[in-house]
Amino acid sequence: MRKPVDLSSLVPVLFGFAAFQQLRAASELQLFEYLTLNGPSSSDEVSTGLGLPPKSARTLLLGTTALGLTERTGDRYTPSETLRAAIDDGTWPHIRSIIDFQQRVSYLPAQEYAESLRTGKNLGLKHLPGTGRDLYTRLEENPELGNRFYRGMHAWSELSNPVLVHQVDYRSVTKVLDVGGGDAVNAIALARAHPHLKVTVFDLEGAVEVARDNVEAAALGDRIDVVAGDMFAEPMPHGYDLVLFAHQFVIWSPEQNATLLKRAFEALSPGGRVVVFNAFADDDGAGPLYTALDNVYFTVLPFEESTIYPWCEHEEWLATAGFVDITRTHHHGWTPHGVIEGRKPGE
């Protein structure tokens, strides 16, 4: 059980917006890259190296050190062990894309959270140019913002999809239908990790245009194909033994999610499986913290119905659609992503 908040632990909550801005500034100014490349550095060296006034360098280093993002030994600073590891293993560019996403897409809309809760409407849209009633329509009206958004989504997938790629059993699977597969990030990861799989990305025309380019760049055109279509309005392609919904069920209402699972059940052959991959809330409604905070974004932006649902609700939808042998697979990493799957009876 999480320890109840006291006045001291309230500080990072009360100043949470400022903590994020310390991280964002350090990312934008490439502080961690500078310290990694140049080794332990003084405040004056950071000032010169980043082209900052001396006071600005001191202010930034105070913020990052107090937050544990940098460490100070004597008068010299280094990245924290966690950030240094993220830079070394290639994770840091994905985190930078997420920081940019939070700043450019989520930050201002988040101030509409209370009113969005009060009205049940995604009122954060007022901070994004355009006239559409949902986030995705607004992104179509603003290509630059759309690029930032999809870079952020791609980064989330790269960080969280090991549970999908490595913890799901694909030994009896040959053909995967990736419904709402977007830019094909998960299809590409699956194809690379499991050479016997053939994957079809099924999404709207605008999304699959990007998917086609990414599949071609990955030289996987012989194993991944792309089909344009509307998952709600058009029949799902048949002939697949696994249907995948990745990062879809946080967008739609419970009724829409149940409908998608029924359509997947109808499309699958007997014995086929459906796999749902996204973030989950705990069944007891007490966490995890990541989910609780990320739900601010889902409340103010995508659709009025968007939210992160608990595991147990997914199980109810799957059972209602007719699936059996329902299982949960938890991610071993720091995000609450996971997989829940079911089998169509018959084999």
mmCIF file of all heavy atoms in Angstrom, residues 142-169:
data_model
loop_
_atom_site.group_PDB
_atom_site.id
_atom_site.type_symbol
_atom_site.label_atom_id
_atom_site.label_comp_id
_atom_site.label_asym_id
_atom_site.label_seq_id
_atom_site.Cartn_x
_atom_site.Cartn_y
_atom_site.Cartn_z
ATOM 1 N N ASN A 142 -3.224 19.299 -38.494
ATOM 2 C CA ASN A 142 -1.951 19.920 -38.121
ATOM 3 C C ASN A 142 -0.823 18.911 -38.296
ATOM 4 O O ASN A 142 -0.435 18.227 -37.340
ATOM 5 C CB ASN A 142 -1.999 20.392 -36.663
ATOM 6 C CG ASN A 142 -3.077 21.426 -36.418
ATOM 7 O OD1 ASN A 142 -2.861 22.608 -36.601
ATOM 8 N ND2 ASN A 142 -4.254 20.979 -35.996
ATOM 9 N N PRO A 143 -0.285 18.791 -39.504
ATOM 10 C CA PRO A 143 0.713 17.753 -39.783
ATOM 11 C C PRO A 143 1.941 17.804 -38.873
ATOM 12 O O PRO A 143 2.430 16.750 -38.455
ATOM 13 C CB PRO A 143 1.097 18.026 -41.244
ATOM 14 C CG PRO A 143 -0.108 18.694 -41.827
ATOM 15 C CD PRO A 143 -0.672 19.534 -40.725
ATOM 16 N N GLU A 144 2.430 19.008 -38.547
ATOM 17 C CA GLU A 144 3.611 19.087 -37.691
ATOM 18 C C GLU A 144 3.314 18.515 -36.309
ATOM 19 O O GLU A 144 4.097 17.737 -35.747
ATOM 20 C CB GLU A 144 4.099 20.524 -37.555
ATOM 21 C CG GLU A 144 5.349 20.637 -36.678
ATOM 22 C CD GLU A 144 5.790 22.071 -36.448
ATOM 23 O OE1 GLU A 144 5.164 22.989 -37.003
ATOM 24 O OE2 GLU A 144 6.766 22.255 -35.693
ATOM 25 N N LEU A 145 2.172 18.901 -35.751
ATOM 26 C CA LEU A 145 1.774 18.362 -34.454
ATOM 27 C C LEU A 145 1.552 16.859 -34.553
ATOM 28 O O LEU A 145 1.913 16.099 -33.642
ATOM 29 C CB LEU A 145 0.498 19.053 -33.971
ATOM 30 C CG LEU A 145 0.035 18.719 -32.548
ATOM 31 C CD1 LEU A 145 1.063 19.199 -31.538
ATOM 32 C CD2 LEU A 145 -1.320 19.361 -32.271
ATOM 33 N N GLY A 146 0.976 16.418 -35.671
ATOM 34 C CA GLY A 146 0.779 14.992 -35.874
ATOM 35 C C GLY A 146 2.093 14.228 -35.880
ATOM 36 O O GLY A 146 2.193 13.136 -35.309
ATOM 37 N N ASN A 147 3.116 14.799 -36.493
ATOM 38 C CA ASN A 147 4.425 14.147 -36.513
ATOM 39 C C ASN A 147 4.981 13.998 -35.103
ATOM 40 O O ASN A 147 5.550 12.953 -34.751
ATOM 41 C CB ASN A 147 5.394 14.944 -37.386
ATOM 42 C CG ASN A 147 5.088 14.815 -38.865
ATOM 43 O OD1 ASN A 147 4.461 13.842 -39.290
ATOM 44 N ND2 ASN A 147 5.515 15.787 -39.653
ATOM 45 N N ARG A 148 4.834 15.045 -34.286
ATOM 46 C CA ARG A 148 5.306 14.970 -32.906
ATOM 47 C C ARG A 148 4.540 13.894 -32.140
ATOM 48 O O ARG A 148 5.114 13.124 -31.352
ATOM 49 C CB ARG A 148 5.140 16.317 -32.209
ATOM 50 C CG ARG A 148 6.065 17.409 -32.722
ATOM 51 C CD ARG A 148 5.848 18.711 -31.967
ATOM 52 N NE ARG A 148 6.682 19.774 -32.458
ATOM 53 C CZ ARG A 148 7.938 19.990 -32.109
ATOM 54 N NH1 ARG A 148 8.511 19.181 -31.232
ATOM 55 N NH2 ARG A 148 8.634 20.995 -32.613
ATOM 56 N N PHE A 149 3.232 13.864 -32.356
ATOM 57 C CA PHE A 149 2.392 12.885 -31.672
ATOM 58 C C PHE A 149 2.831 11.469 -32.029
ATOM 59 O O PHE A 149 3.038 10.628 -31.141
ATOM 60 C CB PHE A 149 0.924 13.100 -32.059
ATOM 61 C CG PHE A 149 -0.009 12.055 -31.538
ATOM 62 C CD1 PHE A 149 -0.560 12.165 -30.278
ATOM 63 C CD2 PHE A 149 -0.342 10.942 -32.313
ATOM 64 C CE1 PHE A 149 -1.415 11.187 -29.786
ATOM 65 C CE2 PHE A 149 -1.196 9.969 -31.828
ATOM 66 C CZ PHE A 149 -1.729 10.092 -30.566
ATOM 67 N N TYR A 150 2.971 11.182 -33.317
ATOM 68 C CA TYR A 150 3.274 9.816 -33.721
ATOM 69 C C TYR A 150 4.710 9.421 -33.361
ATOM 70 O O TYR A 150 4.983 8.235 -33.115
ATOM 71 C CB TYR A 150 2.989 9.628 -35.209
ATOM 72 C CG TYR A 150 1.498 9.618 -35.471
ATOM 73 C CD1 TYR A 150 0.887 10.650 -36.173
ATOM 74 C CD2 TYR A 150 0.699 8.594 -34.971
ATOM 75 C CE1 TYR A 150 -0.490 10.659 -36.386
ATOM 76 C CE2 TYR A 150 -0.673 8.598 -35.177
ATOM 77 C CZ TYR A 150 -1.259 9.629 -35.880
ATOM 78 O OH TYR A 150 -2.621 9.625 -36.064
ATOM 79 N N ARG A 151 5.630 10.391 -33.289
ATOM 80 C CA ARG A 151 6.962 10.073 -32.772
ATOM 81 C C ARG A 151 6.870 9.650 -31.308
ATOM 82 O O ARG A 151 7.543 8.715 -30.866
ATOM 83 C CB ARG A 151 7.900 11.273 -32.914
ATOM 84 C CG ARG A 151 8.466 11.461 -34.307
ATOM 85 C CD ARG A 151 9.729 12.305 -34.280
ATOM 86 N NE ARG A 151 9.499 13.624 -33.718
ATOM 87 C CZ ARG A 151 9.142 14.689 -34.426
ATOM 88 N NH1 ARG A 151 8.958 14.582 -35.740
ATOM 89 N NH2 ARG A 151 8.973 15.859 -33.866
ATOM 90 N N GLY A 152 6.029 10.354 -30.538
ATOM 91 C CA GLY A 152 5.851 9.983 -29.141
ATOM 92 C C GLY A 152 5.222 8.613 -28.988
ATOM 93 O O GLY A 152 5.650 7.791 -28.167
ATOM 94 N N MET A 153 4.189 8.329 -29.790
ATOM 95 C CA MET A 153 3.537 7.023 -29.727
ATOM 96 C C MET A 153 4.510 5.904 -30.136
ATOM 97 O O MET A 153 4.520 4.821 -29.543
ATOM 98 C CB MET A 153 2.316 7.005 -30.640
ATOM 99 C CG MET A 153 1.168 7.873 -30.181
ATOM 100 S SD MET A 153 0.437 7.353 -28.591
ATOM 101 C CE MET A 153 1.242 8.510 -27.464
ATOM 102 N N HIS A 154 5.312 6.184 -31.152
ATOM 103 C CA HIS A 154 6.314 5.205 -31.587
ATOM 104 C C HIS A 154 7.292 4.922 -30.446
ATOM 105 O O HIS A 154 7.653 3.755 -30.197
ATOM 106 C CB HIS A 154 7.058 5.750 -32.806
ATOM 107 C CG HIS A 154 8.045 4.791 -33.390
ATOM 108 N ND1 HIS A 154 7.747 3.970 -34.450
ATOM 109 C CD2 HIS A 154 9.335 4.521 -33.055
ATOM 110 C CE1 HIS A 154 8.805 3.229 -34.753
ATOM 111 N NE2 HIS A 154 9.784 3.544 -33.915
ATOM 112 N N ALA A 155 7.702 5.970 -29.739
ATOM 113 C CA ALA A 155 8.641 5.797 -28.626
ATOM 114 C C ALA A 155 8.023 4.957 -27.514
ATOM 115 O O ALA A 155 8.675 4.066 -26.946
ATOM 116 C CB ALA A 155 9.064 7.156 -28.094
ATOM 117 N N TRP A 156 6.738 5.224 -27.184
ATOM 118 C CA TRP A 156 6.077 4.410 -26.159
ATOM 119 C C TRP A 156 6.064 2.945 -26.569
ATOM 120 O O TRP A 156 6.295 2.048 -25.741
ATOM 121 C CB TRP A 156 4.644 4.886 -25.934
ATOM 122 C CG TRP A 156 4.494 6.082 -25.036
ATOM 123 C CD1 TRP A 156 3.838 7.246 -25.333
ATOM 124 C CD2 TRP A 156 4.980 6.230 -23.698
ATOM 125 N NE1 TRP A 156 3.910 8.111 -24.253
ATOM 126 C CE2 TRP A 156 4.593 7.514 -23.249
ATOM 127 C CE3 TRP A 156 5.711 5.405 -22.852
ATOM 128 C CZ2 TRP A 156 4.915 7.990 -21.980
ATOM 129 C CZ3 TRP A 156 6.039 5.880 -21.587
ATOM 130 C CH2 TRP A 156 5.639 7.151 -21.166
ATOM 131 N N SER A 157 5.783 2.681 -27.838
ATOM 132 C CA SER A 157 5.753 1.295 -28.302
ATOM 133 C C SER A 157 7.122 0.639 -28.187
ATOM 134 O O SER A 157 7.247 -0.512 -27.753
ATOM 135 C CB SER A 157 5.256 1.236 -29.752
ATOM 136 O OG SER A 157 3.891 1.580 -29.830
ATOM 137 N N GLU A 158 8.155 1.366 -28.576
ATOM 138 C CA GLU A 158 9.507 0.810 -28.498
ATOM 139 C C GLU A 158 9.876 0.462 -27.057
ATOM 140 O O GLU A 158 10.539 -0.551 -26.795
ATOM 141 C CB GLU A 158 10.520 1.816 -29.061
ATOM 142 C CG GLU A 158 10.433 2.007 -30.564
ATOM 143 C CD GLU A 158 11.070 0.875 -31.346
ATOM 144 O OE1 GLU A 158 11.577 -0.082 -30.718
ATOM 145 O OE2 GLU A 158 11.060 0.931 -32.589
ATOM 146 N N LEU A 159 9.441 1.287 -26.104
ATOM 147 C CA LEU A 159 9.783 1.050 -24.705
ATOM 148 C C LEU A 159 8.962 -0.070 -24.078
ATOM 149 O O LEU A 159 9.446 -0.774 -23.185
ATOM 150 C CB LEU A 159 9.588 2.337 -23.891
ATOM 151 C CG LEU A 159 10.564 3.474 -24.176
ATOM 152 C CD1 LEU A 159 10.150 4.726 -23.414
ATOM 153 C CD2 LEU A 159 11.988 3.064 -23.785
ATOM 154 N N SER A 160 7.719 -0.217 -24.522
ATOM 155 C CA SER A 160 6.809 -1.148 -23.853
ATOM 156 C C SER A 160 6.590 -2.458 -24.589
ATOM 157 O O SER A 160 6.099 -3.427 -23.984
ATOM 158 C CB SER A 160 5.450 -0.475 -23.619
ATOM 159 O OG SER A 160 4.842 -0.107 -24.844
ATOM 160 N N ASN A 161 6.943 -2.543 -25.878
ATOM 161 C CA ASN A 161 6.539 -3.741 -26.612
ATOM 162 C C ASN A 161 7.366 -5.002 -26.353
ATOM 163 O O ASN A 161 7.032 -6.053 -26.903
ATOM 164 C CB ASN A 161 6.419 -3.467 -28.121
ATOM 165 C CG ASN A 161 7.747 -3.266 -28.821
ATOM 166 O OD1 ASN A 161 8.810 -3.573 -28.293
ATOM 167 N ND2 ASN A 161 7.687 -2.727 -30.028
ATOM 168 N N PRO A 162 8.426 -4.996 -25.537
ATOM 169 C CA PRO A 162 9.052 -6.296 -25.212
ATOM 170 C C PRO A 162 8.080 -7.317 -24.643
ATOM 171 O O PRO A 162 8.216 -8.518 -24.898
ATOM 172 C CB PRO A 162 10.126 -5.911 -24.190
ATOM 173 C CG PRO A 162 10.542 -4.535 -24.607
ATOM 174 C CD PRO A 162 9.254 -3.875 -25.047
ATOM 175 N N VAL A 163 7.073 -6.878 -23.889
ATOM 176 C CA VAL A 163 6.098 -7.837 -23.353
ATOM 177 C C VAL A 163 5.297 -8.471 -24.482
ATOM 178 O O VAL A 163 4.975 -9.667 -24.444
ATOM 179 C CB VAL A 163 5.156 -7.164 -22.328
ATOM 180 C CG1 VAL A 163 4.309 -6.084 -22.957
ATOM 181 C CG2 VAL A 163 4.252 -8.193 -21.653
ATOM 182 N N LEU A 164 4.984 -7.699 -25.514
ATOM 183 C CA LEU A 164 4.247 -8.219 -26.667
ATOM 184 C C LEU A 164 5.132 -9.119 -27.515
ATOM 185 O O LEU A 164 4.716 -10.181 -27.974
ATOM 186 C CB LEU A 164 3.724 -7.061 -27.511
ATOM 187 C CG LEU A 164 3.101 -7.417 -28.861
ATOM 188 C CD1 LEU A 164 1.801 -8.194 -28.653
ATOM 189 C CD2 LEU A 164 2.857 -6.167 -29.696
ATOM 190 N N VAL A 165 6.366 -8.712 -27.713
ATOM 191 C CA VAL A 165 7.255 -9.414 -28.641
ATOM 192 C C VAL A 165 7.840 -10.679 -28.039
ATOM 193 O O VAL A 165 7.939 -11.718 -28.708
ATOM 194 C CB VAL A 165 8.374 -8.460 -29.103
ATOM 195 C CG1 VAL A 165 9.398 -9.197 -29.963
ATOM 196 C CG2 VAL A 165 7.789 -7.285 -29.878
ATOM 197 N N HIS A 166 8.219 -10.613 -26.745
ATOM 198 C CA HIS A 166 9.002 -11.701 -26.155
ATOM 199 C C HIS A 166 8.265 -12.538 -25.110
ATOM 200 O O HIS A 166 8.751 -13.616 -24.752
ATOM 201 C CB HIS A 166 10.281 -11.138 -25.536
ATOM 202 C CG HIS A 166 11.154 -10.416 -26.505
ATOM 203 N ND1 HIS A 166 11.729 -11.037 -27.595
ATOM 204 C CD2 HIS A 166 11.534 -9.107 -26.578
ATOM 205 C CE1 HIS A 166 12.442 -10.159 -28.281
ATOM 206 N NE2 HIS A 166 12.331 -8.979 -27.690
ATOM 207 N N GLN A 167 7.125 -12.063 -24.597
ATOM 208 C CA GLN A 167 6.453 -12.808 -23.531
ATOM 209 C C GLN A 167 5.162 -13.497 -23.995
ATOM 210 O O GLN A 167 4.519 -14.175 -23.207
ATOM 211 C CB GLN A 167 6.144 -11.882 -22.348
ATOM 212 C CG GLN A 167 7.399 -11.411 -21.620
ATOM 213 C CD GLN A 167 7.084 -10.472 -20.465
ATOM 214 O OE1 GLN A 167 7.507 -9.317 -20.439
ATOM 215 N NE2 GLN A 167 6.341 -10.959 -19.505
ATOM 216 N N VAL A 168 4.789 -13.318 -25.247
ATOM 217 C CA VAL A 168 3.635 -14.004 -25.818
ATOM 218 C C VAL A 168 4.134 -15.193 -26.637
ATOM 219 O O VAL A 168 5.162 -15.112 -27.319
ATOM 220 C CB VAL A 168 2.816 -13.042 -26.714
ATOM 221 C CG1 VAL A 168 1.692 -13.773 -27.426
ATOM 222 C CG2 VAL A 168 2.252 -11.902 -25.866
ATOM 223 N N ASP A 169 3.410 -16.301 -26.575
ATOM 224 C CA ASP A 169 3.800 -17.529 -27.275
ATOM 225 C C ASP A 169 3.282 -17.483 -28.723
ATOM 226 O O ASP A 169 2.078 -17.521 -28.962
ATOM 227 C CB ASP A 169 3.218 -18.732 -26.543
ATOM 228 C CG ASP A 169 3.691 -20.059 -27.127
ATOM 229 O OD1 ASP A 169 4.422 -20.048 -28.146
ATOM 230 O OD2 ASP A 169 3.328 -21.106 -26.564
#
